[in-house]
Amino acid sequence: KEGRFGEWLREVKDWAISRERYWGSPLPVWSCDKCGQRKIVGSVAELARKPKNTYYVIRHGEAENNIAGILSGIPDAPHHLTEKGRAQVAASAEALKGIKFDLVYVSPFVRTRETAAILQDKLGWKPEQMIFDDRIRELGAGSWNGRPVSEYIAYFSNRDRFGAHPDGVENFAEMKMRTGGFLYDIEGKDEGKTILIITHESPAHLLIAAAAGLNRKDTVALRENEKREFLANAEWHKLDFSVIPHNPEYELDLHRPYIDEFSVPCACGAEMKRAKEVMDVWLDSGAMPFAQDHYPFEPKKKSLFGLFGGKQELAYPADFISEAIDQTRGWFYTLHAIGAIMGHGKAFKNVICLGHILDGEGKKMSKSIGNVVDPFEMMDKYGADALRFWMYSVNQPGDSKNFDEKTVDEIIKKVFNLAANTVTFYKMYEDKAVEASNTSSDALDRWILARLDQLVEGVTFGLDEYVFLEPTRMIREFIGDLSQWYLRRSRDRFKEGGKTQKEALATTRYVLVTLAKVMAPFTPFFAEEIYQQVGGGKESVHLEDWPEAGKADAKLLKDMEIVRAIASKGLEARTVAKVNVRQPLGAFYSSSAPLAAGLADIIKDELNVKAVKFGASEDKLDLNITPELKEEGDLRELLRKIQDMRKEKGLSVKDKAVFVATDDLKTLVTKYESDIKDATNLSAIEFGAVLGLK
């Protein structure tokens, strides 16, 4: 408002909305070289010309091939009209008696010739009025000639009738071009004539489509919308024909070169020619809010919310618009300018302006310098979601972004890999009977649920305010907490069984499903993968409602910060004392005020101490290692070795194994055999010369 955009508005220049180019929306201005008159055309209806002649089309009467249900695409094939067919034509002749036909164009097939002969007899046409024209013949059936029509219809049930060529059968594109060419040809030859066209069902269908300038989709729909045959035998219609700019397939086409060939009659009697210029592409872009709804030519418009009233409503203004900073004087401006001209005011409520992507050193990418990064190569290497998340989280949207692969790799490791590992761990212990739940008695569960409420609240606020940097960083921090604190401190709970395990599974599933919903706008593919892996309730995460944040437990969140700070001091003390964390110690003395028992237990587990003493004068470890503590430390080291052996052999959590212990471990193994088996999923323990697993 006050910066780049405001500066542009203060010095706003005149806008030349035309360009001397080939591609683009043609300028809708026609001029007369004779009298100098100009005309600006505002719609296709205003541009279209009425035909010089009046046209009717009729299908032949019922023929023998219709009764047999076979394709008949050869002009002299002896498929005559049936008695019923002759009666049908005679009945149509009675209905046509009030119309005086000047010319009659006839397909050169036996059944259309016989139809024409009956009509000639009934309506008194002279021979010179009748013209046989191969362009309105029946479908060219190729090698399918004589085969059942049902087979032909079945063949095209899942194929494009405009493109497919089954064994030489003429396709719709070819037939539409010849019937459309026929129509425009006779329109150019005659004037003030009433003309009847005697043809077949498919040519009549495509002739009518060409007369209306229908595209392929609408041409097919024209026939599919009929509850019966497109034209019944001997059925006739007045042709709704408008002379319009069209491409070779006789579809309405308002682009060059077709629009340049179309003249408009001038009041002086001459022909007006279109100006050769096209619209500036920014006028097209600026008109987008109106053009996308064909405004103002759609009086009623269906929407997700039902049917609008008689006055067309627009999705205007937009909630937000997003483009790079160089669109300030392009799209951002032209949207507002055209909106103001149209009397609708501002075009959007919010703008997300994006900075440019530079190389790792902050230089503009250039082929000549050789510092261009191929985005497709990067997407193949890291994935589209990783690059998308990188752009959201590296800095504010409007700031330029120095692209360094190392920072993308960091995103992979600290966001995607951590989240994926959490899902993998959950799947190892997954019990599909355990439903997702946000209720638990465990302190760690309640903490991660409180963090989840924080995340949902923060991301929701950010998206509502069109802010993306902070929400994505919240997601990154949450995934770190989920993986590196919650999951790490909950691992044993997943193995314990009973209520403890069910609460851990139910909480983790709930958290992962909700995380997938929160990540969906930022990483749509990755979020979908999480959602499917952990059993979201709908077909897709993108069909879910946005999650609502509960009231986060502020005290628990604060207490957990204290817990983690105490744990950090304790681990630092272990490092200084050079005591491995697998070696149990008697106690840690903390200067912190006392915490609840569940939180103190987390500290004990993290520091591997038997007790935490609060209210001490200083933070320190009890480093006295008794024989009992030493033995427990040896047991932990052994368990770690066995788990490492299991990984090396590629065993899953559920795979049983046999541990071979050496004699020096006999006393320890014998004493704790049951505990060792349970902790490492062993079926038996044996003794041998070499430590190993089998």
Side-chain angles (χ1 to χ4, degrees):
K1 181 178 180 181
E2 302 297 337
R4 186 180 175 95
F5 197 89
E7 290 171 5
W8 166 250
L9 291 180
R10 280 190 290 274
E11 302 291 331
V12 69
K13 306 292 191 300
D14 287 343
W15 178 16
I17 63 169
S18 66
R19 295 289 181 270
E20 292 183 357
R21 295 176 180 171
Y22 185 85
W23 300 110
S25 296
L27 203 66
V29 178
W30 272 258
S31 303
C32 179
D33 291 337
K34 182 177 180 182
C35 69
Q37 181 69 27
R38 281 185 176 175
K39 181 176 183 180
I40 298 175
V41 177
S43 69
V44 174
E46 189 179 339
L47 181 63
R49 293 205 308 260
K50 291 183 179 180
K52 299 174 184 176
N53 306 300
T54 303
Y55 299 91
Y56 292 82
V57 61
I58 186 171
R59 183 186 177 191
H60 61 78
E62 181 188 77
E64 293 167 343
N65 61 293
N66 299 134
I67 297 298
I70 60 173
L71 292 173
S72 177
I74 300 175
D76 57 358
H79 293 131
H80 301 278
L81 296 183
T82 63
E83 286 302 317
K84 179 181 177 181
R86 299 179 71 83
Q88 290 170 333
V89 177
S92 292
E94 288 297 317
L96 290 168
K97 278 187 175 179
I99 304 171
K100 183 180 181 302
F101 293 104
D102 299 296
L103 295 171
V104 179
Y105 286 87
V106 186
S107 164
F109 277 57
V110 170
R111 50 191 181 275
T112 43
R113 285 176 175 271
E114 291 178 351
T115 298
I118 295 170
L119 292 172
Q120 181 184 20
D121 180 60
K122 298 287 185 181
L123 300 176
W125 299 334
K126 297 177 181 178
E128 58 267 24
Q129 289 178 257
M130 299 173 64
I131 305 167
F132 294 94
D133 199 306
D134 189 57
R135 291 173 293 179
I136 52 174
R137 67 182 184 275
E138 178 59 290
L139 166 80
S143 64
W144 283 54
N145 199 61
R147 290 172 62 177
V149 174
S150 59
E151 289 184 12
Y152 171 78
I153 294 172
Y155 178 88
F156 280 105
S157 62
N158 61 352
R159 289 180 175 85
D160 176 19
R161 287 182 181 237
F162 283 87
H165 272 290
D167 298 329
V169 174
E170 186 179 29
N171 63 34
F172 271 19
E174 293 165 333
M175 195 167 12
K176 189 160 177 253
M177 283 191 281
R178 67 170 163 87
T179 54
F182 158 80
L183 182 62
Y184 272 83
D185 181 40
I186 60 175
E187 169 67 12
K189 289 179 178 178
D190 299 302
E191 186 173 353
K193 305 292 185 184
T194 300
I195 298 171
L196 179 63
I197 302 164
I198 304 175
T199 184
H200 312 260
E201 184 185 18
S202 289
H205 166 217
L206 295 167
L207 180 69
I208 290 170
L214 301 183
N215 59 30
R216 290 184 174 189
K217 180 181 178 181
D218 291 338
T219 297
V220 172
L222 183 67
R223 190 164 192 162
E224 290 179 345
N225 288 340
E226 294 290 329
K227 301 299 182 185
R228 53 181 178 81
E229 293 176 292
F230 182 76
L231 276 184
N233 289 118
E235 183 179 354
W236 59 274
H237 284 291
K238 185 177 181 181
L239 196 62
D240 184 12
F241 178 32
S242 294
V243 179
I244 53 175
H246 59 80
N247 62 24
E249 210 170 291
Y250 294 89
E251 300 168 314
L252 171 67
D253 197 324
L254 300 175
H255 296 94
R256 304 184 73 179
Y258 315 113
I259 192 73
D260 292 343
E261 299 165 359
F262 198 83
S263 60
V264 173
C266 183
C268 73
E271 291 288 315
M272 305 177 85
K273 300 294 183 180
R274 193 192 73 83
K276 297 301 182 184
E277 289 79 10
V278 298
M279 295 281 197
D280 175 17
V281 293
W282 294 114
L283 188 128
D284 282 345
S285 299
M288 178 276 296
F290 306 97
Q292 69 177 349
D293 289 324
H294 198 210
Y295 181 89
F297 301 106
E298 301 290 343
K300 292 184 179 181
K301 179 177 174 58
K302 288 184 178 180
S303 74
L304 293 173
F305 310 104
L307 194 65
F308 288 128
K311 184 179 179 182
Q312 186 180 358
E313 296 184 22
L314 293 166
Y316 195 99
D319 289 322
F320 78 95
I321 187 172
S322 176
E323 256 296 354
I325 195 168
D326 54 348
Q327 300 303 328
T328 302
R329 301 169 187 181
W331 201 23
F332 297 158
Y333 170 68
T334 57
L335 281 165
H336 279 330
I338 293 175
I341 291 169
M342 294 293 289
H344 285 265
K346 65 181 182 183
F348 49 86
K349 301 174 185 175
N350 299 278
V351 60
I352 303 166
C353 196
L354 306 176
H356 292 135
I357 299 178
L358 309 175
D359 72 6
E361 297 178 359
K363 297 176 182 177
K364 183 178 179 180
M365 293 189 190
S366 169
K367 289 182 179 179
S368 61
I369 298 175
N371 63 344
V372 173
V373 177
D374 185 339
F376 295 100
E377 183 180 319
M378 292 298 102
M379 281 189 277
D380 288 341
K381 186 173 182 179
Y382 296 107
D385 275 356
L387 291 176
R388 184 182 287 113
F389 198 86
W390 174 84
M391 291 183 193
Y392 287 136
S393 61
V394 68
N395 58 17
Q396 294 291 353
D399 295 338
S400 296
K401 293 162 177 56
N402 297 353
F403 185 80
D404 185 344
E405 280 194 58
K406 292 178 183 177
T407 56
V408 180
D409 187 59
E410 184 181 356
I411 290 287
I412 293 287
K413 291 174 180 174
K414 293 189 176 181
V415 177
F416 294 88
N417 287 356
L418 289 183
N421 290 342
T422 303
V423 173
T424 300
F425 184 83
Y426 168 80
K427 294 290 287 182
M428 286 167 57
Y429 299 96
E430 181 183 35
D431 181 348
K432 294 188 183 297
V434 177
E435 295 291 335
S437 173
N438 62 347
T439 303
S440 175
S441 60
D442 183 84
L444 271 169
D445 289 344
R446 289 187 289 108
W447 171 75
I448 197 63
L449 290 167
R451 282 287 288 115
L452 186 66
D453 286 331
Q454 266 190 329
L455 176 70
V456 172
E457 182 180 22
V459 174
T460 302
F461 177 80
L463 292 181
D464 285 345
E465 295 297 317
Y466 302 97
V467 173
F468 304 99
L469 175 63
E470 290 78 5
T472 48
R473 289 191 173 176
M474 289 177 191
I475 291 171
R476 177 173 174 165
E477 291 169 5
F478 178 83
I479 290 173
D481 283 350
L482 175 65
S483 172
Q484 296 170 334
W485 184 249
Y486 171 76
L487 193 66
R488 187 165 60 79
R489 290 271 39 93
S490 299
R491 283 180 179 275
D492 291 340
R493 297 173 55 228
F494 282 86
K495 305 171 186 177
E496 287 181 17
K499 179 184 177 183
T500 299
Q501 184 189 51
K502 286 184 177 179
E503 284 187 338
L505 285 170
T507 301
T508 304
R509 184 176 182 183
Y510 179 84
V511 168
L512 287 172
V513 169
T514 307
L515 177 62
K517 296 177 188 178
V518 170
M519 292 184 75
F522 306 97
T523 58
F525 304 115
F526 186 71
E528 184 69 28
E529 177 67 14
I530 293 176
Y531 187 81
Q532 297 298 335
Q533 286 291 322
V534 300
K538 296 192 176 182
E539 183 181 354
S540 168
V541 68
H542 303 292
L543 298 177
E544 284 277 8
D545 291 333
W546 185 254
E548 293 186 12
K551 184 172 177 58
D553 188 335
K555 185 178 185 308
L556 178 58
L557 290 169
K558 182 64 178 175
D559 285 347
M560 192 62 78
E561 287 181 13
I562 296 171
V563 167
R564 296 179 76 172
I566 293 171
S568 179
K569 289 178 181 178
L571 292 173
E572 184 180 353
R574 272 186 173 273
T575 301
V576 171
K578 298 181 180 180
V579 179
N580 192 297
V581 76
R582 282 184 291 276
Q583 173 59 59
L585 295 174
F588 179 74
Y589 296 90
S590 172
S591 59
S592 170
L595 294 170
L599 296 173
D601 288 341
I602 295 172
I603 299 172
K604 285 162 57 179
D605 290 343
E606 177 72 0
L607 296 182
N608 193 12
V609 295
K610 298 300 180 182
V612 178
K613 307 291 185 180
F614 294 103
S617 58
E618 60 178 328
D619 299 311
K620 66 176 184 177
L621 285 166
D622 179 354
L623 295 172
N624 180 36
I625 301 175
T626 65
E628 292 79 13
L629 291 173
K630 176 68 170 62
E631 183 177 79
E632 188 177 339
D634 292 341
L635 176 61
R636 289 193 175 222
E637 283 289 350
L638 179 60
L639 294 177
R640 181 191 64 81
K641 286 181 180 179
I642 296 173
Q643 295 290 21
D644 288 345
M645 291 177 190
R646 290 182 64 90
K647 288 181 181 178
E648 288 173 6
K649 286 189 171 290
L651 299 178
S652 71
V653 175
K654 298 177 182 178
D655 291 334
K656 292 285 186 181
V658 175
F659 174 56
V660 180
T662 50
D663 288 340
D664 60 310
L665 296 172
K666 194 165 190 176
T667 301
L668 184 67
V669 169
T670 302
K671 184 175 181 179
Y672 295 102
E673 181 175 1
S674 178
D675 293 334
I676 295 170
K677 283 182 177 180
D678 291 342
T680 57
N681 198 20
L682 299 176
S683 59
I685 298 177
E686 299 175 358
F687 292 93
V690 181
L691 190 72
L693 207 63
K694 63 180 184 179

